[in-house]
């Protein structure tokens, strides 16, 4: 019977007609945006229900509660920011001034500034104050089309304050509707009360903090700052082993200021990503390639520290290691809450192609968060997190700084005003 055809026709919540899509397909074709011009995209129940050419859709029967003529707007996946420390108290503009006078990050950090000074301001803030101070940074990212944000702890450095930071991260998600991925970074720096007792602190992280954070279900992953001025390779391995026992995925601050075999450690433990990588050895990169560890590139920290050693981009390409791009938004080495700026920096300073930078903040960033197939790509079944832009081509997002904002942002199918 004819009527049964229309009964089977899909009923969508919303459909866009005449849009251009950058689908950012999953896979290792590094220069692929997955462009689909004059296309249509439909969503239902917070997920992508259909996408294809407009012509194809014209031959189908369907209905939708809302039909939007897109007139050539571009739809990309909502952007994924996979490495931030955006929950913190205070600011470090004074250190910025000291660095302009010639002090190095390591000198400032050894003299009691750096992470420990942010720790003091973070501990002093109440949960509500910390939320109030951190929200503008999350909102700045959201205004640029970011729909998923990773946020690390690591400025509390005791159980109570690390939990406070993670609760603030969670509340940012509740207040903004963004998806927040929470990472426990208790091993970020040595808190002053453990001065001269680094081993005791590592034991405390493993035996007290990690189990408590895991049982409070406040962390989706665990990170360690593996560096001369932070935690040793051996300590990093111990913390990773404990986190693994607790079933928590891993990521690592690896080889930022010196080669500490960070890439290799991340690979040995099957970490989701190893981030920074300026000083990573070829052997570490080989291991990362074997284990499928994502390389997290953080050009904001490179820029802010006036780093001169570039991460090994050509080698990452050769080894087909997926590259993610992120702001590293933090008060000391990258006070930058603009993912579009980070994309431009990745292109200009690291010489990524625009397509690599775009994949770096979508499909590859989602993979770095363990969210492949659900975020960072336009495909049927993925969550309907969308950024909609008035552009001639998405490459403009990398090429032109401070110009573009999405005209509409969709979070799990719900439209928000950009
Ligand atoms: N690497 C960094 O660049 C930041 N943390 C880290 O592990 C620095 C954080 C800060 O200086 O506050
Ligand atoms: Fe970082």
């Amino acid at each position: 019977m004819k009527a049964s055809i229309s009964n089977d026709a899909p009923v969508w919540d919303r459909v866009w007609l005449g849009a251009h899509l950058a689908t950012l397909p999953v896979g290792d074709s590094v220069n692929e945006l997955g462009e689909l011009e004059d296309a249509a995209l439909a969503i239902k129940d917070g997920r992508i229900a259909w996408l294809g050419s407009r012509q194809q859709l014209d031959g189908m029967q369907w209905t939708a509660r809302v039909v939007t003529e897109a007139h050539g707007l571009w739809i990309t996946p909502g952007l994924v920011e996979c490495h931030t420390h955006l929950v913190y108290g205070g600011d470090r503009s004074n250190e910025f001034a000291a660095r302009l006078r010639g002090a190095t990050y390591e000198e400032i950090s050894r003299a009691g500034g750096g992470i420990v000074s942010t720790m003091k301001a973070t501990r002093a803030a109440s949960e509500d104050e910390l939320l109030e101070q951190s929200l503008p940074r999350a909102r700045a990212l959201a205004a640029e089309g970011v729909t998923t944000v990773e946020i690390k702890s690591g400025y509390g450095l005791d159980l109570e304050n690390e939990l406070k930071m993670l609760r603030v991260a969670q509340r940012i998600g509740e207040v903004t509707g963004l998806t927040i991925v929470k990472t426990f970074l208790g091993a970020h720096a040595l808190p002053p009360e453990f001065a001269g007792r680094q081993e005791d602190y590592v034991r405390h992280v493993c035996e007290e903090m990690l189990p408590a954070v895991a049982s409070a279900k406040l962390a989706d992953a665990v990170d360690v700052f593996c560096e001369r001025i932070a935690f040793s390779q051996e300590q990093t391995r111990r913390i990773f082993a404990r986190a693994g026992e607790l079933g928590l995925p891993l990521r690592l601050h690896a080889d930022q200021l010196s080669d500490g075999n960070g890439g290799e450690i991340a690979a040995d433990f099957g970490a989701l990503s190893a981030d920074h990588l300026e000083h990573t050895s070829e052997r570490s990169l080989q291991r990362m390639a074997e284990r499928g560890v994502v390389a997290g590139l953080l050009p904001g920290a490179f820029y802010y520290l006036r780093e001169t050693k570039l991460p090994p981009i050509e080698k990452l390409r050769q080894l087909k290691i997926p590259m993610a791009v992120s702001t590293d938004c933090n008060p000391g080495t990258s006070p930058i809450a603009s993912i579009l700026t980070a994309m431009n920096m990745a292109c200009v300073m690291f010489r990524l192609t625009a397509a690599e930078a775009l994949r770096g903040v979508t499909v590859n960033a989602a993979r770095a968060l363990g969210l492949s197939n659900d975020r960072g790509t336009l495909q049927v079944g993925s969550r309907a997190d969308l950024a909609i832009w008035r552009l001639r081509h998405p490459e403009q997002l990398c090429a032109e700084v401070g110009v573009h904002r999405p005209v509409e942002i969709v979070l799990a199918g719900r439209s928000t005003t950009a």
Side-chain angles (χ1 to χ4, degrees):
M1 271 197 337
K2 269 247 155 30
S4 66
I5 296 171
S6 63
N7 283 346
D8 291 345
V11 181
W12 292 318
D13 294 332
R14 185 169 172 190
V15 61
W16 284 263
L17 303 174
H20 303 317
L21 310 182
T23 60
L24 283 308
V26 173
D28 61 8
S29 48
V30 289
N31 266 316
E32 207 182 324
L33 292 182
E35 290 156 74
L36 216 56
E37 302 212 1
D38 198 18
L41 182 142
I43 62 177
K44 186 175 169 56
D45 299 333
R47 303 250 149 213
I48 297 175
W50 191 90
L51 57 81
S53 76
R54 182 173 190 160
Q55 229 178 9
Q56 220 178 325
L57 191 70
D58 284 344
M60 291 169 49
Q61 291 199 20
W62 52 272
T63 52
R65 287 196 294 113
V66 180
V67 179
T68 305
E69 265 304 335
H71 298 293
L73 293 175
W74 278 86
I75 303 181
T76 68
L79 306 183
V80 178
E81 164 51 85
C82 66
H83 180 143
T84 84
H85 311 246
L86 71 76
V87 169
Y88 61 81
D91 74 279
R92 304 236 293 274
S93 320
N94 57 338
E95 291 179 15
F96 178 68
R99 271 218 308 277
L100 292 179
R101 291 193 297 270
T104 67
Y105 181 67
E106 294 204 26
E107 283 163 8
I108 290 170
S109 148
R110 288 187 196 284
I115 293 171
V116 168
S117 75
T118 299
M119 176 208 80
K120 289 184 184 143
T122 303
R123 285 183 179 178
S126 70
E127 191 175 312
D128 286 347
E129 286 164 352
L130 200 53
L131 176 66
E132 192 187 328
Q133 292 185 47
S134 305
L135 258 178
R137 297 184 278 268
R139 290 204 162 114
L141 291 169
E144 291 188 337
V146 171
T147 52
T148 298
V149 185
E150 188 261 7
I151 301 178
K152 302 175 198 298
S153 68
Y155 292 117
L157 304 179
D158 63 24
L159 181 58
E160 177 194 338
N161 286 291
E162 287 290 300
L163 290 173
K164 177 176 76 180
M165 287 187 72
L166 293 167
R167 281 195 303 271
V168 168
Q170 181 151 306
R171 283 175 66 188
I172 288 175
E174 290 158 10
V175 171
T176 60
L178 296 167
T179 300
I180 304 296
V181 174
K182 302 183 293 301
T183 301
F184 172 67
L185 178 57
H188 193 196
L190 191 64
E193 58 273 23
F194 279 87
R197 296 190 295 129
Q198 196 172 32
E199 277 298 307
D200 287 351
Y201 184 64
V202 171
R203 207 169 309 126
H204 182 62
V205 167
C206 289
E207 299 314 322
E208 311 293 333
M209 292 168 103
L210 271 173
V213 165
S215 73
K217 301 221 178 316
L218 275 170
D220 305 300
V222 171
D223 194 343
V224 174
F225 190 13
C226 180
E227 191 58 64
R228 283 191 309 236
I229 56 168
F231 295 89
S232 71
Q233 297 179 37
E234 188 275 323
Q235 291 169 334
T236 301
R237 287 180 183 274
R238 237 183 307 148
I239 294 165
F240 271 11
R242 188 74 187 103
E245 284 168 13
L246 293 164
L248 289 164
L250 306 170
R251 51 180 113 263
L252 188 64
H253 280 74
D255 312 319
Q256 176 187 10
L257 308 170
S258 59
D259 179 13
N261 292 321
E264 182 178 356
I265 296 170
D268 285 350
F269 285 84
L272 288 167
S273 77
D275 299 356
H276 287 289
L277 304 177
E278 277 82 349
H279 295 267
T280 301
S281 68
E282 191 156 338
R283 172 196 155 92
S284 272
L285 295 175
Q286 294 281 0
R287 293 283 297 128
M288 284 172 63
E290 284 162 25
R291 292 297 303 267
V293 180
V294 175
L297 303 176
L298 308 175
F302 178 94
Y303 160 82
Y304 211 76
L305 294 175
R306 297 171 182 272
E307 180 57 78
T308 50
K309 177 109 173 57
L310 286 159
I313 303 298
E314 198 45 51
K315 201 75 210 172
L316 294 172
R317 286 188 183 118
Q318 279 168 19
L319 292 168
K320 293 195 180 340
I321 296 174
M323 295 184 273
V325 172
S326 151
T327 62
D328 195 15
C329 178
N330 76 67
T333 63
S334 191
I336 298 170
S338 168
I339 201 162
L340 297 176
T341 306
M343 288 156 68
N344 175 266
M345 287 177 171
C347 293
V348 173
M349 297 191 305
F350 295 173
R351 295 179 188 269
L352 262 59
T353 64
E356 284 171 332
L358 282 156
R359 291 182 67 79
V361 299
T362 53
V363 58
N364 291 344
R367 178 162 164 188
L369 296 182
L371 295 173
S372 274
N373 288 311
D374 193 47
R375 314 290 163 102
T377 190
L378 300 182
Q379 65 183 6
V380 170
S382 285
R383 196 172 125 116
D385 282 353
L386 313 173
I388 305 177
W389 313 82
R390 180 164 289 119
L391 299 168
R392 280 177 295 282
H393 192 274
E395 289 187 345
Q396 285 173 270
L397 294 178
C398 299
E400 300 167 341
V401 182
V403 179
H404 300 289
R405 291 287 177 276
V407 296
E408 187 180 353
I409 295 167
V410 177
L411 291 175
R414 270 190 317 110
S415 179
T416 67
T417 314

